[in-house]
Amino acid sequence: MKTWNDALRSGIVIPACPLALDGDGRWSRRYQQALLRYYAAAGAGGLAVGVHTTQFEIRDPKHGLFRPLLEFASQVLTSAGAMSDFVRIAGICGHTQQAVAEAGIATDLGYHAGLLSLAALPEADDDALLEHCRQVANVIPVIGFYLQPAVGGRILSYRFWRRLCEVDQLVAIKIAPFNRYFTWDVVRAVMESQRSDIALYTGNDDNIIADLITPYSYRGSVRRIVGGLLGQWAVWTRRAVEMLEQIQQAATFTEIAANWLTKNTQLTDANAAVFDAANNFAGCIPGINEILRRQGLLPSNRCLNEHEVLSPGQADELDRVVREYPWLTDDEFVAKHLDDWLR
């Protein structure tokens, strides 16, 4: 029987789950349920809840949504028929005490792994970071996370990643520095560790396809980034699943048609609109929410932080990329099933 870890290592689509809010800012369970059903029906192999795309503010006591949202998502996925190999990932953040507590909540609710953000430790040295990771890994299997500095991450050295590979409960790494040099640091560290059980996942929303089709070769061995854990894949998820399947089914990665490289630039262009790259990603979460609102999967593009809104001109950019790249969108798939998901 295939396990969640088998699925993770084989390579799957893992959307980063948005938060469904009504226009007045209240959590909408109805639309949250529809969104979760959409991801399951679209063929996603897992889901990450409580991560950046979900909005870190869910942890604020005035909202108190961290545990309720994780619990609700788990229940809906189970009722939607998600199998035992559907990978349930919880975002874990904060200083060690908070991170360990969040890992405990996730474990209690049946989550398989924790995506561990180190953004709360901007000044910690490698020894302190690794001790933090070990303490969380004692509670839940860990997915390492290289988050780009523009949205709160920090630069992490090759030496850190190489030492992190010595943590037995490290099951995967999400590589999302939006930087080729830093991406290679992670891949090389995993290759030099000789651990074949650590799955590599792209979080580089600006370079998704190129990450997936590139064979990384070093010292006679070859590794590939097998899937994606992405905010970009929170939208148009059905197309993302089809795309990953086509890439995985290619006879050899060296013979992949050049059109995939063309599609890579088109997807990067679309991501620039969704993530608001022109404004240093200020409208990233509203951009994701706006696409889902247009499809009817969210009631609004509202964020818990009322100042987090679409940037000027961002809506026009979304119009442009949707018009220019119809191969990316799954509007017909959503429209066909939306009424059922909202029931």
Side-chain angles (χ1 to χ4, degrees), residues 12 72 184 202 231 233 324 338 343:
I12 52 178
F72 182 80
W184 174 241
T202 182
W233 281 357
E324 294 296 330
L338 182 60
R343 284 179 184 153

Side-chain angles (χ1 to χ4, degrees), residues 269-270 272-273 294 315-325:
D269 186 20
R294 293 181 182 191
D316 292 337
E317 277 294 280
L318 293 175
D319 291 339
R320 178 183 66 83
V321 297
V322 168
R323 182 176 62 250
E324 294 296 330
Y325 310 127

Side-chain angles (χ1 to χ4, degrees), residues 17-38:
C17 186
L19 179 68
L21 297 177
D22 289 326
D24 60 4
R26 290 184 300 177
W27 180 34
S28 171
R29 286 173 172 79
R30 179 177 180 231
Y31 279 89
Q32 195 72 59
Q33 176 177 264
L35 192 60
L36 294 164
R37 288 173 169 174
Y38 162 58

Side-chain angles (χ1 to χ4, degrees), residues 142-169:
V142 164
I143 297 175
F145 186 13
Y146 204 155
L147 175 65
Q148 62 158 323
V151 292
R154 53 167 290 174
I155 295 174
L156 297 162
S157 69
Y158 161 80
R159 293 178 299 279
F160 165 78
W161 293 109
R162 180 64 185 84
R163 292 175 65 190
L164 184 64
C165 290
E166 297 170 4
V167 176
D168 290 341
Q169 285 293 83

Side-chain angles (χ1 to χ4, degrees), residues 278-319:
N279 295 288
N280 204 28
F281 308 101
C284 170
I285 295 174
I288 292 169
N289 291 353
E290 174 63 11
I291 292 292
L292 295 169
R293 183 200 66 79
R294 293 181 182 191
Q295 291 182 305
L297 284 162
L298 287 183
S300 76
N301 64 26
R302 176 84 181 251
C303 293
L304 290 172
N305 180 349
E306 62 183 16
H307 301 295
E308 200 163 357
V309 297
L310 291 175
S311 293
Q314 189 178 0
D316 292 337
E317 277 294 280
L318 293 175
D319 291 339

Side-chain angles (χ1 to χ4, degrees), residues 43-95:
L47 190 69
V49 187
V51 294
H52 175 249
T53 302
T54 320
Q55 303 177 45
F56 290 134
E57 290 87 352
I58 62 172
R59 295 164 171 83
D60 190 316
K62 72 180 180 182
H63 302 301
L65 286 174
F66 180 75
R67 185 183 185 110
L69 181 61
L70 263 64
E71 186 171 18
F72 182 80
S74 184
Q75 292 170 348
V76 173
L77 290 171
T78 298
S79 66
M83 305 299 288
S84 59
D85 63 346
F86 188 94
V87 185
R88 305 180 190 212
I89 298 167
I92 306 295
C93 67
H95 291 275

